[in-house]
């Protein structure tokens, strides 16, 4: 009996399983998780700065209204649902945890983007939005320094950040005395300009990070982000300008 026919085609090279490159493990946490963290915590800060602005504008109603608002915020907000004075500490804890998560996610995402990009920078990225995107870590660092200074100045009254006339419980007088220092007022206005850049781009990024793909939805998100950022910019700038010009004193 004749032997079975054999193929004359050469055998393909067989790569031993041990020699095959290992599959790259996905990063932990996943990039989409980090972007959701950025979106959620950024939204919390966006809501906070808008409500903070609304409260601060009560300075134009006079010392009694402003001090009453500050006392309500410190002691009576959500009472008696929660004990008097508890809400402000719960709120501060939420903001602190959000800040830590926001900074952590931003640093990890930036590091991953740098590794993925490699040694070569993209060319032709000269738009205003690209400038905002590239400067997010810088503006975020400036805002972090400003928040620390702002708390020392108007919350704890710690020298030398606070004015020499600081008195605990006198919110209106403390604000006026602080902004009567031209250097502090100028730093505040610079920080508010930085907040505009960071907030406007951050809120626009929220729309993208939460999965919006429609052109109309993205355009609406960009308009809302710009509008909120502009509102926060103009509203907050009015306060130091009013103090420096004597309108609020």
């Amino acid at each position: 009996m004749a032997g079975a026919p054999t193929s004359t085609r050469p055998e393909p090279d067989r790569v031993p399983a041990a020699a095959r490159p290992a599959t790259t493990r996905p990063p932990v946490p996943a990039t989409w998780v980090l972007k959701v963290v950025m979106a959620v915590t950024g939204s919390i800060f966006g809501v906070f700065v808008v409500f903070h602005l609304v409260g601060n504008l009560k300075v134009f109603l006079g010392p009694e209204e402003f001090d009453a608002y500050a006392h309500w915020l410190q002691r009576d907000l959500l009472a008696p649902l929660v004990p008097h004075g508890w809400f402000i500490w719960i709120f501060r804890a939420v903001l602190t945890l959000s800040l830590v998560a926001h900074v952590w996610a931003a640093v990890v995402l930036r590091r991953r983007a740098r590794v993925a990009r490699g040694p070569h920078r993209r060319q032709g990225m000269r738009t205003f939005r690209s400038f905002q995107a590239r400067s997010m870590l810088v503006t975020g660092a400036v805002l972090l320094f400003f928040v620390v200074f702002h708390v020392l100045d108007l919350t704890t009254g710690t020298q030398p950040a606070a004015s020499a006339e600081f008195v605990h419980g006198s919110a209106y007088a403390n604000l006026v005395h602080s902004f009567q220092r031209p250097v502090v007022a100028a730093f505040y206005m610079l920080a508010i300009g930085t907040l505009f850049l960071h907030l406007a781009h951050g809120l626009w990024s929220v729309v993208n990070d939460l999965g919006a793909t429609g052109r109309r939805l993205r355009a609406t998100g960009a308009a809302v982000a710009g509008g909120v950022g502009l509102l926060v910019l103009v509203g907050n700038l009015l306060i130091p300008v009013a103090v420096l010009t004597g309108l609020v004193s």
Side-chain angles (χ1 to χ4, degrees):
M1 182 176 178
T6 58
S7 173
T8 58
R9 298 174 62 183
E11 284 287 327
D13 294 334
R14 299 286 184 181
V15 180
R20 297 174 189 166
T23 303
T24 304
R25 291 183 178 180
V28 177
T31 297
W32 71 266
V33 173
L34 294 173
K35 289 188 174 183
V36 169
V37 170
M38 290 285 291
V40 172
T41 55
S43 298
I44 291 174
F45 290 127
V47 172
F48 166 72
V49 296
V50 170
F51 278 92
H52 189 60
L53 168 63
V54 173
N56 283 345
L57 289 177
K58 289 181 177 293
V59 74
F60 292 102
L61 300 178
E64 291 185 3
E65 286 283 347
F66 192 74
D67 287 346
Y69 162 73
H71 182 272
W72 171 78
L73 191 64
Q74 289 277 344
R75 301 292 304 170
D76 296 333
L77 184 56
L78 292 189
L81 182 64
V82 297
H84 289 276
W86 279 33
F87 173 79
I88 192 65
W89 290 105
I90 297 172
F91 186 65
R92 286 169 178 169
V94 170
L95 285 181
T96 301
L97 291 175
S98 297
L99 178 62
V100 171
H102 195 79
V103 172
W104 165 73
V107 171
V108 175
L109 285 172
R110 182 63 175 267
R111 186 180 302 153
R112 290 181 184 177
R114 184 173 297 174
V115 171
R117 183 183 65 214
H120 305 292
R121 287 185 173 273
R122 294 180 63 181
Q123 301 298 320
M125 303 289 288
R126 301 295 181 185
T127 65
F128 179 68
R129 191 171 297 282
S130 68
F131 166 75
Q132 287 179 294
R134 293 194 308 271
S135 62
M136 285 297 277
L137 278 184
V138 175
T139 56
V142 171
L143 291 175
L144 181 59
F145 176 76
F146 168 71
V147 167
V148 173
F149 178 86
H150 197 55
V151 169
L152 295 176
D153 179 18
L154 296 178
T155 302
T156 64
T158 305
Q159 300 289 336
S163 68
E165 296 85 359
F166 182 90
V167 176
H168 286 281
S170 300
Y172 182 92
N174 292 336
L175 183 146
V176 171
H177 288 144
S178 180
F179 288 158
Q180 283 177 340
R181 299 173 294 173
V183 174
V184 173
F187 174 57
Y188 181 86
M189 289 187 280
L190 173 64
I192 294 304
T194 304
L195 176 62
F196 166 71
L197 294 175
H198 196 89
L199 182 64
H201 183 76
L203 292 179
W204 181 80
S205 298
V206 167
V207 178
N208 297 276
D209 292 343
L210 294 183
T213 56
R215 180 179 299 180
R216 181 174 298 178
L217 182 58
R218 288 165 63 89
T220 302
V224 171
V228 171
L230 191 60
L231 173 68
V232 171
L233 173 68
V234 174
N236 279 296
L237 287 180
L238 288 175
I239 300 172
V241 171
V243 173
L244 289 173
T245 58
L247 181 62
V248 172
S249 61

